[in-house]
Amino acid sequence: MEKIISLCKRRGFVFASSEIYGGFQAVYDYGPYGVLLANNIKQAWWQAMVQAREDIVGLDSSIFMHPKIWEASGHISGFSDPLSECKNCHTRSRVDHLLEEVNVFADEKMSEDEVNKIFDEHKSKIKCPSCGKSDFSEAKKFNLLVKSNLGNFTGDPMENPSYLRGETCQGIYVNYKNVVDSTRVKMPFGIAQIGKAFRNEITARQFIFRTREFEQMEMQYLTHPDNEMKEYEKLKVDRFDYYINNLGINKDNLRWHEHENLVFYAKAAFDIEYKFPFGFKELEGVHARSNYDLTQHAKFSGKDLEYKDPQTGEKYLPHIIESSVGVGRTMLAVLTDAFVEEELGPEDTRIVMKFNKKLAPIKVAVFPLLKNKPELVSKAREVFDMLKLKYMCEFDDNGNIGKRYRRQDEIGTPYCLTVDFDTLEDGCVTIRDRDTMKQERIKIAELTSFLAKELE
Amino acid sequence: MEKIISLCKRRGFVFASSEIYGGFQAVYDYGPYGVLLANNIKQAWWQAMVQAREDIVGLDSSIFMHPKIWEASGHISGFSDPLSECKNCHTRSRVDHLLEEVNVFADEKMSEDEVNKIFDEHKSKIKCPSCGKSDFSEAKKFNLLVKSNLGNFTGDPMENPSYLRGETCQGIYVNYKNVVDSTRVKMPFGIAQIGKAFRNEITARQFIFRTREFEQMEMQYLTHPDNEMKEYEKLKVDRFDYYINNLGINKDNLRWHEHENLVFYAKAAFDIEYKFPFGFKELEGVHARSNYDLTQHAKFSGKDLEYKDPQTGEKYLPHIIESSVGVGRTMLAVLTDAFVEEELGPEDTRIVMKFNKKLAPIKVAVFPLLKNKPELVSKAREVFDMLKLKYMCEFDDNGNIGKRYRRQDEIGTPYCLTVDFDTLEDGCVTIRDRDTMKQERIKIAELTSFLAKELE
């Protein structure tokens, strides 16, 4: 994990937020290569979810919504974590995390009293993760929804707050009728969306795995009640395969985990887990939610949210199955899966990010052999200009070729092209493969079709 | 304007937020076609700004940052609008907007007292836009930064708030050193970023033109102090041309507007204005900001933010020129520019969105002539499947072909392909052009190369 974090900072994938101001906890910035990787991850998801699927359309709902939506969803009353403060050093910790340290597991649906009962039994064995003392305050439930004063110009904004969404899917539920009315979707169909969400996590941990500001990729699939479980099984297969086929994740690092306690309305809940450096943890949730979400919104909005089948005339509240995954978590899985240290010889190790080629931030790097030979530089720039509108390319004329290869290996560039003196004679460049490190000569005129075959 | 708003709702481009709950003011959701259009706009910007430019890299900094950043930027002390409440109906209005109605212009840098002096002189002539009475409270300055309790678990979150960013560029300034350290950029270079920002606008107006939640596309270009104005003139040319060449905007609808009052540190400030349905208004700002931003952050963070030239060893604080535009405004300009009502005959009008092909949400629609002929449907689906991974496509088998053409015209689809009985014999489909409405036969085998030529 430390190696990945260090590479991320050193090579411009991920920076801690507000570093020059001493940092801002539990929030990260994506640097020049990080944003390209994140964009490619979002594009791969969108392509599989929306573009390749006739039955799924996209949406981009806003972060701010009517506060009543969060009452309907249950987030205002039920979306909270138990917090305790160390009386010695005043560090606040999540009580369920403290209990995990002594192998006691608190259920997230427990009331404050229930949590305190268990906590009281075990707290003497638990030490503060910060100072090591064992002197905790009572557990207090803290709501995870982030409150703001957007649109509130008078009075106390904390009494009548606007909420930053805690999940993106609510924007899908409340828009589903708009989508039916403005497009040609027919049941069953899905609505997919990528966007930021926010949770006031008490302790954010494990780098970009759990952050207070994060980006979700969610798809809600609406079905006739009778078809919910059939569609659910199909979605499960699709989503697991996606990581292997579309993102190139090693399938040994993926597994299913079934939720032990289902919320009362859920029909089924499985997570796809990835083997992160800190163990198997949730990457994506695939859940069958029955008609709970639309029932709640119909009740709280007073609107009829039933779907009327245009063929049969049957009216019903659609059941919903969902696929929900974070961009940050996917990125951490992709980074973990790609990271390789190869021993090339005594005291010669290379770090190479073996990204799936479609996800690689830079697809092609172009080098003139020597930077002080104008004829090489101008030829290399010609090749670079030919490719740059089609692929994300990088031009590098600094240092010896071996060093430049290693720099590109660290950011996972699949192909490096070198323009040398022979190029000026034979119209060929040296193409070097990231994974095999093999070098071959290829005609410049054939580059486009070669790259199209390998990269698209 | 009403026609555009109505089309946007009817055809799934833009929905009012939280509609089933009676709406949430000054925030909008993008529907299935809107999100595709917005994505294409963002991609066109990114391609021109980052991919095509060797000297510009991308970034994706978070919405939340250290609060001190907003002190340094001047947003906490100076980023506010004057607000007055109608004593009769309690509607709150921006005083500078009220004054505009009687052709009096308040400067945004005026203090509360200065604004009230002018307001007192003219308020008797001004009527409340809501109830028509003329009985206003004193003007009070209201800060536009949105406050939240993210990361604040105890105490009053409004006293120690986390701010939602009011502009994306601050994330670029505070990360510039990280970018220099982790990539191979050399002066002059730019950092580009797309992301959401938030402003507590008192009155949001004109559909998606001014919203409280919005998305910015900003590029900050760092130069040696001596080169600031030279680079600024180049950037101005680039940005104006971009709207014409990359987005296909009619150049008669674009013009430059020079700011009359420059803030003390600015070297130059021009806006690109677009002729919206409500007149010429700011689309993009292109500003020369000197070294003000980095001076402030060096001062408030206590960090050395000077750039050291690797060749000459010279140390200096870079000067910054910026290009800043909203996704929503670009979208409104693109929608306005594309909207055409064509009289085809007596009582026959078609609405067609003549988007630049690269921006069109759907590139190709595929129709079987008849939906109850399985051989046509399966052939049409074959064509659809062949194209869908390469282009955003739509399959439609509903209604007569004329109606389907009109549906696609309204969402701006450049090409419609119809599979008919002849297709089964000759392997050709009818391709219909959105703008000319001409229909031609084209071999299925030639579709890919035809579309690649027209759409890429």
Side-chain angles (χ1 to χ4, degrees), chain B residues 17 34 47 49 61 67 74 91 101 145 181 197-198 201 218 223 233 258 271 275 279 288 292 296 342 357 373 376 430:
Chain B
S17 169
Q47 205 186 32
M49 270 303 183
S61 69
T91 297
E101 300 299 318
L145 274 186
D181 292 344
F198 303 82
E201 304 279 356
E218 294 203 307
T223 75
E233 291 307 325
E258 184 173 6
D271 293 338
K275 196 179 175 183
Y292 177 74
Q296 290 295 100
E342 281 181 357
K357 290 174 189 172
K373 298 286 170 193
L376 296 185
T430 300

Side-chain angles (χ1 to χ4, degrees), chain B residues 99 113 115-124 137-139:
Chain B
L99 285 167
D113 286 349
V115 172
N116 270 312
K117 203 172 151 234
I118 304 187
F119 193 40
D120 285 341
E121 275 173 44
H122 298 92
K123 60 165 58 156
S124 62
S137 75
E138 275 212 328

Side-chain angles (χ1 to χ4, degrees), chain A residues 96-166:
Chain A
D96 51 337
H97 288 168
L98 293 174
L99 285 166
E100 276 175 26
E101 301 297 319
V102 292
N103 287 310
V104 176
F105 298 92
D107 193 293
E108 58 180 29
K109 292 189 295 291
M110 279 177 178
S111 70
E112 215 164 83
D113 285 350
E114 288 170 316
V115 172
N116 270 312
K117 202 170 152 237
I118 305 187
F119 192 39
D120 284 343
E121 275 173 43
H122 298 93
K123 60 164 60 157
S124 63
K125 290 170 291 178
I126 302 170
K127 291 188 168 53
C128 169
S130 184
C131 72
K133 288 267 161 67
S134 178
D135 190 7
F136 293 101
S137 75
E138 274 211 328
K140 201 170 170 300
K141 282 244 180 178
F142 193 84
N143 193 283
L144 294 182
L145 274 186
V146 179
K147 297 174 179 182
S148 89
N149 69 339
L150 185 117
N152 190 331
F153 301 96
T154 48
D156 183 352
M158 289 299 105
E159 291 299 315
N160 288 298
S162 305
Y163 297 99
L164 280 78
R165 65 181 172 200

Side-chain angles (χ1 to χ4, degrees), chain A residues 410-421:
Chain A
E410 281 198 339
I411 59 168
T413 306
Y415 298 107
C416 294
L417 306 177
T418 305
V419 168
D420 57 23
F421 291 104

Side-chain angles (χ1 to χ4, degrees), chain A residues 188-410:
Chain A
F189 71 91
I191 303 175
Q193 122 160 309
I194 300 176
K196 290 223 167 165
F198 303 82
R199 292 183 189 174
N200 234 341
E201 305 278 356
I202 294 158
T203 44
R205 302 192 294 188
Q206 289 136 341
F207 194 41
I208 54 174
F209 181 78
R210 189 188 304 279
T211 53
R212 293 193 182 127
E213 172 178 342
F214 59 105
E215 197 159 18
Q216 288 188 310
M217 304 185 278
E218 293 203 308
M219 193 281 293
Q220 308 290 316
Y221 201 77
L222 294 88
T223 75
H224 187 283
D226 295 347
N227 299 331
E228 180 176 7
M229 292 317 291
K230 188 185 78 188
E231 294 294 345
Y232 180 71
E233 292 307 324
K234 280 207 291 200
L235 183 64
K236 270 184 70 187
V237 173
D238 281 352
R239 292 307 299 159
F240 203 85
D241 288 352
Y242 159 84
Y243 289 102
I244 299 159
N245 300 335
N246 297 49
L247 302 192
I249 300 280
N250 179 350
K251 74 171 191 299
D252 297 337
N253 293 335
L254 294 165
R255 72 177 187 197
W256 281 110
H257 168 75
E258 185 174 5
H259 285 215
E260 279 142 36
N261 300 306
L262 284 185
V263 282
F264 71 92
Y265 54 80
K267 294 284 189 61
F270 282 77
D271 294 337
I272 298 173
E273 293 190 334
Y274 177 79
K275 196 178 173 183
F276 290 101
F278 40 84
F280 270 103
K281 290 276 176 191
E282 181 191 341
L283 174 58
E284 161 161 349
V286 185
H287 303 156
R289 303 181 53 83
S290 77
N291 62 9
Y292 177 75
D293 308 293
L294 294 179
T295 303
Q296 290 295 101
H297 286 300
K299 191 170 133 195
F300 279 77
S301 71
K303 294 286 188 308
D304 176 10
L305 297 184
E306 285 193 329
Y307 176 81
K308 189 179 173 190
D309 190 289
Q311 243 104 58
T312 65
E314 186 190 1
K315 283 192 74 177
Y316 57 89
L317 217 46
H319 283 221
I320 289 178
I321 58 177
E322 74 170 3
S323 151
S324 172
V325 58
V327 173
R329 281 188 192 190
T330 308
M331 192 152 143
L332 188 56
V334 164
L335 286 163
T336 306
D337 224 65
F339 185 89
V340 176
E341 273 182 301
E342 281 181 357
E343 298 263 344
L344 299 180
E347 291 181 41
D348 186 12
T349 313
R350 75 162 181 157
I351 292 177
V352 52
M353 297 302 287
K354 294 194 171 178
F355 294 125
N356 177 302
K357 288 174 190 172
K358 286 208 176 96
L359 299 183
I362 303 290
K363 306 294 189 223
V364 181
V366 181
F367 310 147
L369 180 65
L370 299 166
K371 75 194 259 188
N372 55 1
K373 297 286 170 192
E375 64 275 31
L376 296 185
V377 173
S378 87
K379 190 74 193 169
R381 215 168 280 279
E382 209 179 275
V383 173
F384 175 77
D385 286 339
M386 179 181 94
L387 300 174
K388 74 178 181 188
L389 288 184
K390 193 108 177 106
Y391 307 107
M392 194 68 215
C393 296
E394 197 165 275
F395 188 89
D396 188 2
D397 59 9
N398 207 279
N400 70 50
I401 293 290
K403 267 198 185 152
R404 287 185 243 173
Y405 283 156
R406 296 293 170 90
R407 273 206 292 270
Q408 295 299 329
D409 287 344
E410 281 198 339

Side-chain angles (χ1 to χ4, degrees), chain B residues 7-38:
Chain B
L7 176 100
C8 280
K9 158 106 178 102
R10 183 163 44 87
R11 297 312 316 275
F13 283 95
V14 181
F15 305 134
S17 169
S18 312
E19 230 183 333
I20 63 170
Y21 284 93
F24 188 71
Q25 221 207 339
V27 170
Y28 290 89
D29 295 341
Y30 296 151
Y33 298 120
V35 61
L36 294 173
L37 179 59

